[in-house]
Amino acid sequence: MKPVMRNHSAIRTFIILGLTGDPQLEILAFIFLLIAYMFSVIGNLTIISLVLVDSHLKTAMYFFLQNFSFLEISFTTACVPTYLHIISSGDKTITISACFSQIFFFVLFGATEFFLLAVMSYDRYVAICKPLRYMSIMNSRVCRNLILCCWVSGLLIILPPFGLSLCLEFCDTVIDQFFCDASPILKNSCSDTWFIEQLIVFSGVLTLIVTLVCVVLSYIYIIGTVLRFPSAHQRKKAFLTCSSHMIVVSMTYGSCIFMYIKPSAKNEVAINKGVSLLPTSVAPLLNPFIYTLRNKQVRQSFYDTFKRLANVSKKF
């Protein structure tokens, strides 16, 4: 436990250092993050809208994809707009309450997304391994209950460490990141954070292991089933059905493991800020393109909806 160097009772704000201290690079970061944020919101809103209006996309797979897109918008919105405001205003301070709110929603949306990825893997397992029973197994009631379970699981994961963190006292104000994250917050604390750190590691590892086991088991059964298909065309079609999800899973788990599986927050090296851009900004931008470009049904729905809108506009 480090000694208190200042009157921690007077600390009401943190200072967000951001991605860089260079003003010119900060402008480039602002442009990149703004463009990425706008396109990620537009892309994911497009998927949400297509699933809502197109009757051909009223299956469990697209219902989960719609919820995934909502989580992606929520996840990137939890951190990117705040940093854009910091760059544009030049005010790098953020209140402790605002910082904790950002952490809460950032982790809630992130944890819920992991559970949803596991559910989406199970959905693909049922679709490929039990195709004749798919509609009866993945009915609307089951889908809604699975989504509810994802949100409840995400909430249960974050509540214990978050609740304990609210009681911390702080003796430093610097957050060497472009959003409020648990690790720099714990670094700023002059309280004993050992138990909270262990609880965070336990919660994170539990989430990763439980969801990753579901994903891996689903794909083991999927691969085993697909390899028994008689024709190469059937095997190719089945793998293409899962390819988008596998790409997103690889990006999500890879970036998370790189960022968060590390030693004590007070002894670790600085977080790789470039890697942190992947889940917070790049992935929400790429995911709509990954799902649409590799999914013929979504592409067709987009073209049909665009044509209908164009025909309506011509009438006026």
Side-chain angles (χ1 to χ4, degrees):
M1 180 174 174
K2 58 188 177 186
V4 179
M5 301 301 294
R6 66 180 73 180
N7 181 12
H8 52 263
S9 63
I11 293 178
R12 295 289 180 270
T13 59
F14 291 132
I15 299 172
I16 304 288
L17 293 185
L19 289 170
T20 177
D22 188 324
Q24 291 183 330
L25 290 178
E26 207 165 48
I27 293 173
L28 292 177
F30 178 87
I31 295 171
F32 168 76
L33 288 172
L34 179 62
I35 294 173
Y37 178 71
M38 290 174 60
F39 276 99
S40 64
V41 171
I42 292 170
N44 284 289
L45 278 178
T46 300
I47 291 178
I48 292 172
S49 302
L50 289 176
V51 176
L52 280 174
V53 302
D54 195 325
S55 58
H56 297 99
L57 303 181
K58 300 296 182 183
T59 63
M61 173 183 173
Y62 297 108
F63 175 73
F64 293 136
L65 179 57
Q66 183 184 46
N67 281 271
F68 184 77
S69 293
F70 172 77
L71 277 172
E72 289 285 77
I73 293 173
S74 303
F75 187 73
T76 189
T77 300
C79 54
V80 172
T82 301
Y83 184 52
L84 293 177
H85 171 72
I86 287 172
I87 296 176
S88 60
S89 65
D91 183 8
K92 294 181 179 290
T93 61
I94 184 172
T95 63
I96 290 179
S97 58
C99 197
F100 272 92
S101 296
Q102 187 180 63
I103 290 175
F104 176 81
F105 289 108
F106 176 76
V107 178
L108 173 62
F109 297 140
T112 304
E113 194 169 292
F114 275 99
F115 288 105
L116 181 55
L117 285 172
V119 167
M120 293 170 77
S121 298
Y122 174 72
D123 171 69
R124 292 300 81 210
Y125 156 76
V126 177
I128 292 174
C129 301
K130 303 176 185 291
L132 298 179
R133 298 175 56 199
Y134 178 70
M135 298 304 294
S136 61
I137 294 175
M138 303 303 292
N139 58 64
S140 59
R141 183 179 61 83
V142 170
C143 291
R144 287 194 298 269
N145 288 338
L146 286 172
I147 291 296
L148 180 61
C149 287
C150 291
W151 281 97
V152 171
S153 299
L155 191 62
L156 292 176
I157 284 294
I158 186 178
L159 281 181
F162 182 79
L164 292 174
S165 300
L166 294 176
C167 302
L168 293 176
E169 295 179 329
F170 299 98
C171 51
D172 203 355
T173 61
V174 175
I175 295 178
D176 191 11
Q177 182 56 284
F178 70 96
F179 60 93
C180 290
D181 197 12
S183 180
I185 293 294
L186 294 178
K187 276 186 175 181
N188 287 341
S189 176
C190 42
S191 306
D192 186 0
T193 61
W194 181 87
F195 180 72
I196 298 176
E197 290 179 34
Q198 303 313 307
L199 192 57
I200 290 173
V201 171
F202 173 78
S203 300
V205 171
L206 179 65
T207 302
L208 282 173
I209 289 177
V210 170
T211 57
L212 191 57
V213 165
C214 292
V215 171
V216 171
L217 284 177
S218 295
Y219 277 103
I220 287 174
Y221 282 108
I222 287 171
I223 292 171
T225 301
V226 170
L227 291 178
R228 291 195 295 269
F229 285 175
S231 72
H233 175 73
Q234 285 179 308
R235 291 194 293 270
K236 181 180 178 181
K237 184 179 178 181
F239 281 125
L240 282 176
T241 302
C242 301
S243 61
S244 299
H245 182 255
M246 286 191 287
I247 293 171
V248 172
V249 165
S250 301
M251 288 173 54
T252 304
Y253 280 89
S255 60
C256 182
I257 290 171
F258 191 92
M259 286 176 62
Y260 292 109
I261 302 301
K262 55 197 177 187
S264 170
K266 291 186 176 182
N267 300 317
E268 66 174 349
V269 295
I271 298 174
N272 189 317
K273 297 177 184 179
V275 174
S276 68
L277 284 172
L278 182 60
T280 57
S281 187
V282 177
L285 169 66
L286 294 180
N287 287 344
F289 296 100
I290 293 172
Y291 278 107
T292 54
L293 293 177
R294 301 182 69 86
N295 189 302
K296 184 178 179 180
Q297 206 165 358
V298 175
R299 291 201 309 270
Q300 188 61 48
S301 174
F302 178 79
Y303 295 145
D304 292 344
T305 303
F306 183 79
K307 286 180 181 178
R308 286 198 298 268
L309 291 175
N311 292 332
V312 170
S313 64
K314 286 179 181 179
K315 292 179 181 179
F316 292 96

